[in-house]
């Protein structure tokens, strides 16, 4: 991908960093708005500690677990719903409720029922599940009926029908669903940690920074969240694209 096709241009990032620096100098208060130089310095200090990396692993592992579990469950439920209308009707109210109820309500309810340690797993799962389910089900429904009839006439095995007819139609829908839900799961997962404050999480560090008015830490951990979210998104989408290429070859 060349520079002209990138969604985010380097010059635009530099301009915004300059605006941030000038605003920080104008306010002249680290509590209100810390400078980007101070944030980067603080981030460098944090990266030199073992607790920083333990915190990263704690949050990353739980949000990733919630995402992959929801992706798998969403695909399975979409296949079942496409085969059995009663299952689709049964799941419709639940999916609507998950999409409509505010994230904060789920977090508070989950804290009443469960401990906060794996709260981000559950919240990430709930945010991703309806997106994957809806898009994959839409992909299954978009399959060309003519191709299915042809496969039936030539008595193609179900495995080959799934491989050569269904998967090529579903993959674009699945890719779009993952791209949409990856950002949602990180926002919701970290929000759950901020409210639940599980020990050793990024959310706990954000909450502590807010309580002690430690703005450099607050901005530094926010940058960490953005970096983790973007890296995780790129990695997952790359794996999906690679899987799609392998399916085309075989």
């Amino acid at each position: 991908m060349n520079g002209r096709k990138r969604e985010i241009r380097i010059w635009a990032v530099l301009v915004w960093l300059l605006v941030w620096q000038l605003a920080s100098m104008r306010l002249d208060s680290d509590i209100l708005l810390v400078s980007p130089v101070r944030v980067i310095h603080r981030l460098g200090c944090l990266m030199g500690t073992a607790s920083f990396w333990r915190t990263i692993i704690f949050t990353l592992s739980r949000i990733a677990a919630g995402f992959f579990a929801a992706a798998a469950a969403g695909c399975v439920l979409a296949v079942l719903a496409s085969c059995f209308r009663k299952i689709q009707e049964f799941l419709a109210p639940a999916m609507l409720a998950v999409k409509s109820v505010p994230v904060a309500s789920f977090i508070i309810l989950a804290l009443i029922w469960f401990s906060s340690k794996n709260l981000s797993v559950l919240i990430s799962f709930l945010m991703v599940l309806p997106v994957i389910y809806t898009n994959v089900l839409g992909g299954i429904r978009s399959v060309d009926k003519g191709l299915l009839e042809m496969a039936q006439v030539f008595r193609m095995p179900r495995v080959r029908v799934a491989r050569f007819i269904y998967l090529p139609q579903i993959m674009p829908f699945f890719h779009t669903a993952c791209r949409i839900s990856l950002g949602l799961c990180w926002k919701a997962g970290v929000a759950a940690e901020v409210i639940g404050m599980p020990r050793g999480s990024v959310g706990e560090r954000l909450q502590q920074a807010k309580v002690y008015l430690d703005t450099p830490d607050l901005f530094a951990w926010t940058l960490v969240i953005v970096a983790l979210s973007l890296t995780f998104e790129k990695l997952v989408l790359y794996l999906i694209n690679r899987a799609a290429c392998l399916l085309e070859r075989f």
Side-chain angles (χ1 to χ4, degrees):
M1 182 180 292
N2 59 44
R4 290 181 177 275
K5 292 183 179 180
R6 289 177 182 170
E7 295 180 1
I8 299 178
R9 308 291 180 87
I10 298 298
W11 69 264
V13 174
L14 294 177
V15 169
W16 279 110
L17 287 175
L18 178 60
V19 171
W20 178 5
Q21 177 67 34
L22 293 175
S24 174
M25 293 171 61
R26 179 70 177 83
L27 290 173
D28 194 24
S29 173
D30 280 353
I31 294 179
L32 293 177
L33 184 63
V34 67
S35 70
V37 175
R38 179 80 185 279
V39 172
I40 293 172
H41 177 265
R42 179 55 184 156
L43 182 58
C45 294
L46 289 172
M47 292 176 67
T49 63
S51 62
F52 173 85
W53 297 106
R54 286 196 298 268
T55 301
I56 295 297
I57 293 172
F58 182 96
T59 295
L60 176 61
S61 62
R62 280 155 177 77
I63 292 179
F67 173 81
F68 287 120
C75 290
V76 171
L77 291 176
V79 171
L80 292 175
S82 67
C83 296
F84 306 101
R85 186 172 182 81
K86 290 295 182 183
I87 292 180
Q88 180 184 339
E89 293 174 353
F90 174 75
L91 291 174
M95 293 299 172
L96 180 61
V98 172
K99 288 190 292 185
S100 303
V101 174
V103 179
S105 298
F106 279 123
I107 295 172
I108 294 170
L109 286 172
L111 284 173
I112 294 174
W113 296 333
F114 311 104
S115 67
S116 63
K117 184 177 181 180
N118 294 312
L119 179 63
S120 55
V121 179
L122 175 62
I123 299 303
S124 298
F125 177 88
L126 290 175
M127 293 301 103
V128 173
L129 180 62
V131 179
I132 300 292
Y133 169 82
T134 303
N135 280 269
V136 173
L137 184 58
I140 295 173
R141 288 174 174 173
S142 71
V143 172
D144 190 344
K145 303 300 181 185
L147 292 176
L148 294 176
E149 291 175 1
M150 182 182 68
Q152 188 175 8
V153 170
F154 287 98
R155 297 181 180 179
M156 286 182 62
R158 291 185 177 180
V159 174
R160 293 177 67 84
V161 172
R163 162 67 184 83
F164 293 105
I165 297 179
Y166 278 102
L167 280 178
Q169 295 286 329
I170 295 172
M171 284 303 292
F173 288 84
F174 180 68
H175 185 278
T176 301
C178 288
R179 184 161 48 185
I180 295 171
S181 58
L182 280 165
L184 289 175
C185 76
W186 273 94
K187 291 178 182 178
V190 173
E193 290 184 347
V194 170
I195 296 175
M197 292 186 64
R199 185 178 299 274
S201 67
V202 172
E204 182 193 32
R205 294 296 191 95
L206 286 173
Q207 186 64 263
Q208 288 177 346
K210 174 252 183 183
V211 170
Y212 294 108
L213 298 178
D214 193 345
T215 310
D217 261 33
L218 180 62
F219 275 80
W221 282 108
T222 301
L223 286 180
V224 169
I225 295 168
V226 172
L228 285 174
S229 176
L230 290 175
T231 304
F232 186 66
E233 178 181 347
K234 297 295 184 184
L235 177 61
V236 170
L237 295 180
Y238 170 78
L239 293 175
I240 293 173
N241 290 332
R242 290 295 300 167
C245 291
L246 289 175
L247 286 173
E248 290 177 359
R249 292 178 184 177
F250 297 100

